[in-house]
Amino acid sequence: MFGARCLLRALRFCFSAPCPRHKPSAKLSVRDALRAQNASGERVKVQGWIRSVRSQKEVLFLHVNDGTSLESLQVVADSSFDSRELAFGSSVKVQGQLVKSPSKRQNVELKAEKIEVVGDCDAKDFPLKYKERHPMEYLRQYPHLRCRTNVLGSILRVRSEATAAIHSFFKPSSKIKVPEENFFNIPAFLTVSGQLHLEVMSGAFTQVFTFGPTFRAENSQSRRHLAEFYMVEAEISFLENLQDLMQVMEGLFKTTTTTVLSNCPEDVELCHKFIAPGQKDRLEHMLKNNFLIISYTEAVEILKQASQNFTFCPEWGADLHTEHEKYLVKHCGNMPVFVINYPLKLKPFYMRDNEDSPQHTVAAVDLLVPGVGELFGGSLREERYHFLEQQLARSGLTEAYQWYLDLRRFGSVPHGGFGMGFERYLQCILGIDNIKDVIPFPRFTHSCLL
């Protein structure tokens, strides 16, 4: 009887007490796993794509990447796992213990307890080949797959970091982000700029910006042009001179670039090492020194005195072409250079008249940078009603832009703004020669693959 009671108590205890279980695996990104400090066997789960497979007699080595970092996580598995299913390009879920690695090549590795193939990949048919460094021209044929390569992965992570840095630059000053509209019930056209809408908003908020896609029907397949590209545009009220505007432009470039270099150094280094050797030193030179300033008139004189033969002859009153812009940057010691005060006839109606006859210029500014040419374009806006009214009348635009004149009738203030081509910015800091390689899905004349 005593034995039966003891047995009953034991059974009650078994049913009431929780059975011992393994602690559930923590889901980690590859980047977080690589940054783990004092890894000592914690159970984790990592998901991603196989970048390499290496099989030995009793052990299998995989490198798994999920896009969060350039470096992949080494997974160590025993030979019981079927290596035939674990192919380059396949997607997997891996559970196991995160431990310190005995190899000097990485700090940690994942000892696999379970590997699940989520989606297999036929390496023979896969256009991206293991250990091959595909040319950029080849990768452009596969816009749906090229983001899986190291180089495009790095470029797109830099793009993401730069996007966040630009928003962060504007945020501390209580600038208002203006959303881009994407649905209309009246005839409308794809925009090349949000500037005029920003001017509306700057009548209520002293500092506004927008960051989004713009469109241009440029019949060009050059390495400088896209039909769809991204623009950062800002408008600042109570701005009375170009010097203050240029300070904001230079500050945006330097702050964003410093943030990118700090937050994704490996990705930037990959581009500088394999695509643009020497770009690191050139970029540091730009960040350490003040940008230069010359007038349009000075720029034309420099070009006229150049020993270089230009396709387009430099003349006062003519626009500056890419060959001129790149020469001016080189002439100025490969430093970014602001060119200010352009002829009125070269610029749109909304730029402020400098009243400097007989030259007759406007308060416009372009920032030229190494390897790209024009990166920023901006101006003080014509806030004086009668000056703007005359300009619109000369252009035959008075009726269409009556609303724009109204902004000068009701509480007008001195103001100015600028736009920066985001893809050109990425080209500048990374040293990428072709603009089609710094945007996820390049669209240009006669080409819209995705």
Side-chain angles (χ1 to χ4, degrees):
M1 191 69 180
F2 178 77
R5 286 189 186 130
C6 289
L7 180 60
L8 186 58
R9 280 198 208 100
L11 287 171
R12 283 176 183 156
F13 176 79
C14 286
F15 282 113
S16 61
C19 297
R21 294 179 181 177
H22 285 305
K23 186 178 179 180
S25 300
K27 184 178 175 181
L28 287 184
S29 68
V30 167
R31 182 173 67 173
D32 289 342
L34 292 170
R35 292 178 176 180
Q37 300 293 324
N38 304 318
S40 56
E42 298 86 357
R43 279 188 167 77
V44 302
K45 178 167 74 173
V46 170
Q47 303 170 145
W49 292 266
I50 297 175
R51 287 290 177 86
S52 71
V53 184
R54 183 163 51 92
S55 181
Q56 294 183 356
K57 288 183 179 180
E58 298 181 355
V59 69
L60 188 67
F61 295 97
L62 308 177
H63 281 92
V64 175
N65 193 286
D66 64 356
T68 55
S69 74
L70 175 60
E71 185 182 355
S72 298
L73 176 65
Q74 178 165 284
V75 175
V76 183
D78 62 47
S79 56
S80 63
F81 290 98
D82 189 350
S83 60
R84 291 173 298 179
E85 293 185 4
L86 303 173
F88 170 67
S90 296
S91 56
V92 292
K93 293 180 181 178
V94 184
Q95 294 186 54
Q97 292 179 286
L98 194 65
V99 298
K100 185 173 177 61
S101 176
S103 172
K104 293 181 180 179
R105 295 183 179 181
Q106 61 272 327
N107 293 324
V108 298
E109 61 187 25
L110 183 57
K111 291 178 65 176
E113 297 171 345
K114 179 182 178 182
I115 302 178
E116 177 188 350
V117 177
V118 179
D120 57 7
C121 178
D122 188 335
K124 291 181 181 179
D125 293 335
F126 193 35
L128 309 178
K129 303 304 179 184
Y130 175 51
K131 286 190 176 180
E132 279 194 35
R133 191 182 298 166
H134 298 290
M136 291 294 212
E137 294 77 10
Y138 175 80
L139 294 177
R140 282 181 218 129
Q141 301 174 65
Y142 304 99
H144 57 303
L145 297 173
R146 67 176 188 164
C147 57
R148 303 187 191 187
T149 63
N150 281 343
V151 64
L152 261 296
S154 286
I155 291 171
L156 294 175
R157 276 188 295 274
V158 168
R159 184 184 175 98
S160 176
E161 191 63 47
T163 298
I166 288 168
H167 280 84
S168 179
F169 174 83
F170 287 116
K171 189 176 180 181
S173 299
S174 300
K175 296 180 176 69
I176 302 297
K177 184 178 188 298
V178 179
E180 293 293 322
E181 297 181 29
N182 58 13
F183 182 79
F184 306 96
N185 59 0
I186 58 173
F189 304 91
L190 294 174
T191 180
V192 297
S193 171
Q195 177 214 315
L196 298 184
H197 294 92
L198 284 179
E199 286 197 60
V200 171
M201 302 302 290
S202 71
F205 307 96
T206 54
Q207 300 178 88
V208 293
F209 80 102
T210 189
F211 187 0
T214 54
F215 305 88
R216 187 167 295 169
E218 190 110 35
N219 189 20
S220 172
Q221 294 189 359
S222 79
R223 60 190 60 199
R224 286 173 45 83
H225 295 102
L226 291 167
E228 178 190 18
F229 53 96
Y230 280 67
M231 285 281 287
V232 181
E233 297 178 275
E235 202 72 24
I236 305 165
S237 297
F238 300 98
L239 189 79
E240 298 187 5
N241 58 72
L242 281 179
Q243 187 64 44
D244 289 346
L245 184 62
M246 289 186 287
Q247 285 182 359
V248 178
M249 295 160 75
E250 184 171 347
L252 174 61
F253 180 94
K254 289 184 174 180
T255 301
T256 301
T257 305
T258 301
T259 302
V260 167
L261 292 175
S262 175
N263 291 353
C264 40
E266 298 88 356
D267 294 310
V268 175
E269 183 183 6
L270 180 141
C271 294
H272 289 175
K273 182 177 180 180
F274 293 107
I275 298 176
Q279 183 66 14
K280 178 182 178 182
D281 293 337
R282 291 190 288 269
L283 191 57
E284 288 179 352
H285 181 62
M286 286 188 258
L287 295 176
K288 288 178 181 177
N289 295 280
N290 294 327
F291 293 178
L292 305 178
I293 304 171
I294 60 173
S295 70
Y296 167 87
T297 302
E298 290 171 323
V300 172
E301 287 304 311
I302 292 169
L303 294 170
K304 283 183 175 180
Q305 295 171 19
S307 57
Q308 179 176 326
N309 292 321
F310 297 109
T311 303
F312 298 94
C313 183
E315 296 279 350
W316 201 98
D319 212 346
L320 299 180
H321 293 268
T322 302
E323 58 178 344
H324 303 143
E325 295 168 352
K326 291 187 175 182
Y327 180 86
L328 290 168
V329 170
K330 186 177 179 181
H331 176 83
C332 294
N334 284 315
M335 274 295 295
V337 54
F338 289 108
V339 180
I340 63 173
N341 298 331
Y342 282 76
L344 177 143
K345 69 176 184 178
L346 290 180
K347 294 298 182 180
F349 64 85
Y350 51 75
M351 294 191 176
R352 196 177 200 277
D353 193 331
N354 282 329
E355 300 180 84
D356 55 351
S357 295
Q359 286 187 325
H360 209 175
T361 64
V362 292
V365 55
D366 288 341
L367 177 62
L368 314 181
V369 297
V372 172
E374 182 189 346
L375 176 60
F376 284 79
S379 75
L380 300 183
R381 315 309 190 192
E382 185 55 82
E383 87 283 3
R384 298 165 295 184
Y385 181 89
H386 295 295
F387 279 83
L388 182 59
E389 185 180 41
Q390 291 171 12
Q391 278 290 87
L392 288 171
R394 290 191 199 104
S395 306
L397 297 172
T398 302
E399 184 177 352
Y401 285 90
Q402 189 60 52
W403 65 269
Y404 193 67
L405 274 171
D406 281 352
L407 300 179
R408 276 64 181 174
R409 292 177 61 204
F410 307 117
S412 180
V413 298
H415 62 287
F418 61 82
M420 180 188 81
F422 186 49
E423 282 73 29
R424 288 189 179 184
Y425 165 76
L426 295 172
Q427 282 186 277
C428 175
I429 67 168
L430 296 177
I432 306 294
D433 188 49
N434 197 312
I435 197 170
K436 300 174 184 66
D437 298 325
V438 292
I439 191 168
F441 305 107
R443 299 177 182 115
F444 49 97
T445 180
H446 309 307
S447 179
C448 186
L449 296 180
L450 282 179

